[in-house]
């Protein structure tokens, strides 16, 4: 609980912005299992990864020991265009719920990409530039990541090719246009610019594409283009590292007012926002310095932690990436159309997966219509129209606050508000029209996905 | 010039938020001419206005003497959800332009409505609630104002009917959806819910509507509904008063670093953002305390100050409002399709018009394609995708900074960045595709508009 009057928004000064990211792996009891090269079935070496990723990102990916990793001035400079982000006390929501709980949220949506994705985009574009590269590639589905990387590429002066899932580029023409405005090249995927794309087009003429296919195209483009690398927006350890800036700023802001959260809540897709938000608090927890409850929220339609298997799986559906040990629904799992595009991923960050497996966090799956109930309630009293992804965390924060009311308990709740819903209004329209439906996969649906988890030596006994 | 290192963003604390608005009229040498009731050709009395507007807004509209008017706590509470807004030093833009000028901008786009409009929406909704009203009405074209008022109505618990120009509600379905999400009722105009709408529908079946028609419908609905009033988003004195919060915060923030602007630049539609931004500085200028240059920027396609007439005219094209003395292109002027919807207004705030007439400010008209050049340059280095309206100010700020470079002069430039362009991506698409065109009305085009200025007794000699 706060020891002095907390303003509605706590802004750190620019000097108080973190000078180093926090690497939670330094304190994990169980190191997560290494990435496996599917060609050799041996742990990936730096050399395996070098043709695909920037050198510095590979070093960070494999760093298990350093608790802090410095943020270069060039990245902190760019961070100043949108950070520090506000830590907000949800006074109006508390009043509406009439709860004894104190509710805080870290708002990462006040930038043109509309989400936290810019934290890692900035870092990865900077390192690419420092390495002397001239271009980068990536894929995007919902478009937040593509937008964020386009902004970072423009700032640091890099060419960017974004392979955008074809159906998304048609359904979200405005997202595509933001990316183009920042000077990036948008290629609807599958395309005829890569071998992988041409194969898919030949096999499935007229297909709307998939994230798996877009990843294949972006990686192929990177490894076949001089001075070019591929960049990924979630799941990997170095992305979680960059996102720790969310948790670090939150902690600094709350400590100014003597506040320690009792419970921290975040939505989970690939796990980077949630992993970043909890990082410094989890680090303390792993050292026995707090007893905070960590809650990850996933959509009931894509329940990788609550109903998935802990096994080695590919990170993409085209099976071209290394194998990662994680909670997964199977790389061939086809999530239903669900408006939280950013949470529609078959796997989960290996760090978050390991922490969950070791019992350090709780996972909750929620249904879409209840998520939008919470989103609209929140928008009306707090003023911010939240992204469907972020609204998963709002839903559970409200549920926890109402439980406090029922039980007459005071608790301090912190949740991550990862982004805004300005480009998600087709989903809000369905909600407003009363035509939104929920979907929960049956056990038979899940079984089909599980069948696509590779039955390889490293999975002996896990399947 | 700054006396100490200025951070990228200056945020005031919530205690530093203005406790009173600034009424520039208290120091104007020439009071602007009174509104005229077209039925009597006499100055409007409070009683004339009472059926249409909230009582408190009418008092503010006619207040020529009080320099400060207190902001009630209820409004300051709501302001805390999105204010104080950041005052930003454009370090990255300065570097790109390689200019000796210091450039600052006040960013009003960090809220869900995406613009400064929320400043007055909050005040007007609050006063309506305090007066015991249960509902309010308004019109919206581009949709920023409708969104802002929907947010304020939701916060204060009022029913809101938004008459949205039919063609806009079809071209901007997402804007419409934000308004609906905040619980307001969106009625495409012309509609069959009012006498005015039915008449237009009968005369022009299939029409896409106009702002003039939507105003008529909203006013009719207000005066024929119990406990209901009409609310306007620009032009009027009380709206400029509410927008003075922009200038007051800017001044407080700059004074912390010993900065006084040499030149202040804002875009102009109805004039409320520009009037609010310059208010406290203009107040000092009128008292001989500074010599700041004030520059209003309008689109070359709708040049009310630079090519209009200073005369009494209706505020709407349906000729149902009082007559206001202002610079006008004629209430029947049909501006060309121009992407800065918020600047497509035939007239100009009477306060801004009078100040211009008395020589206290300069006006510049700029063409659309040059405005978008500036917008994209700004987005890439400063990170914010600006609204087309706001980009008019960016264009002139860049031009002034480049002039400083040419002349080797140091100047401090302040401009207003009124909003974000997230809902304007159809315009950016035209720019990205290279299909954007400019339009400047001919003298003959203007003559047609001027012919619609009423030839009434109060205009004797002016036409």
């Amino acid at each position: 609980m706060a020891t002095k009057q907390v303003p509605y928004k706590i802004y750190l000064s620019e000097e108080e912005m973190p000078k180093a990211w926090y690497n939670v792996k330094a304190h994990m009891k169980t190191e997560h299992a290494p990435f496996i090269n599917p060609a050799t079935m041996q742990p990936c070496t730096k050399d395996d990864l070098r043709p695909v990723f920037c050198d510095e990102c590979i070093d960070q990916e494999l760093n298990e020991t350093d608790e802090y990793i410095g943020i270069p001035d060039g990245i902190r400079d760019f961070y100043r265009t949108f950070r520090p982000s506000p830590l907000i006390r949800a006074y109006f929501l508390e009043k509406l719920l009439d709860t004894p709980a104190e509710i805080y949220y870290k708002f990462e949506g006040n930038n043109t990409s509309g989400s936290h994705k810019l934290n890692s985009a900035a870092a990865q574009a900077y390192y690419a530039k420092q390495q002397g590269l001239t271009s980068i590639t990536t894929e995007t589905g919902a478009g937040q990541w593509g937008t964020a990387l386009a902004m970072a590429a423009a700032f640091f002066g890099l060419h960017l090719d974004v392979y955008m899932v074809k159906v998304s580029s048609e359904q979200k023409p405005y997202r595509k246009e933001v990316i183009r405005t920042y000077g990036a090249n948008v290629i609807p995927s599958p395309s005829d610019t890569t071998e992988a794309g041409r194969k898919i087009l030949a096999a499935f003429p007229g297909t709307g594409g998939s994230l798996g296919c877009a990843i294949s195209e972006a990686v192929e483009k990177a490894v076949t283009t001089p001075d070019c690398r591929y960049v990924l927006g979630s799941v990997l350890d170095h992305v979680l590292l960059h996102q720790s800036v969310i948790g670090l700023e939150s902690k600094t802001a709350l400590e100014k007012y003597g506040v320690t959260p009792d419970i921290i809540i975040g939505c989970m897709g690939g796990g980077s926002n949630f992993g970043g938000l909890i990082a410094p608090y989890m680090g303390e927890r792993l050292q026995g310095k707090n007893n905070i409850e960590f809650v990850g929220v996933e959509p009931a339609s894509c329940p990788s932690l609550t109903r998935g298997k802990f096994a080695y799986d590919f990170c993409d559906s085209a099976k071209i990436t290394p194998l990662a040990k994680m909670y997964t629904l199977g790389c061939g799992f086809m999530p239903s159309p669900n408006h939280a595009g950013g949470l529609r991923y078959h796997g989960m960050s290996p760090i978050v997966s390991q922490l969950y497996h070791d019992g350090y966090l709780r996972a909750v799956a929620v249904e879409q219509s209840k998520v939008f109930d919470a989103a609209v309630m929140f928008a009306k009293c707090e003023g911010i129209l939240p992204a469907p992804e972020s609204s998963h965390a709002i839903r559970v924060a409200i549920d926890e606050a109402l439980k406090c009311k029922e039980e007459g308990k005071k608790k301090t709740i912190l949740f991550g508000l990862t982004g805004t819903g300005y480009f998600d209004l087709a989903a809000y329209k369905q909600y407003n029209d009363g035509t939104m439906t929920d979907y929960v996969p049956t056990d038979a649906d899940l079984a089909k996905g599980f069948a696509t988890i590779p039955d390889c030596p490293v999975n002996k006994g896990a399947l």
Side-chain angles (χ1 to χ4, degrees), chain A residues 287-304:
Chain A
Q287 296 169 75
K289 293 180 185 167
N290 70 39
N291 201 24
I292 295 172
E293 194 183 352
F294 301 96
V295 184
V297 189
E298 56 188 17
S301 60
C302 193
S304 46

Side-chain angles (χ1 to χ4, degrees), chain A residues 61-109:
Chain A
E61 188 65 27
L62 301 179
N63 189 326
E64 314 271 342
T65 48
D66 295 326
E67 188 175 2
Y68 288 97
I69 294 175
I71 308 177
D73 284 346
I75 297 173
R76 294 183 79 240
D77 253 9
F78 183 48
Y79 275 181
R80 292 203 298 159
T81 67
F82 65 102
R83 305 205 68 82
S85 71
L87 190 286
I88 304 178
R89 171 79 181 269
Y91 281 116
F92 299 113
L93 181 61
E94 289 173 18
K95 194 176 159 195
L96 184 73
L97 299 175
D98 187 25
T99 173
E102 286 186 2
I103 309 175
Y104 296 85
Y105 56 98
K106 180 69 167 169
F107 180 38
E108 292 287 318

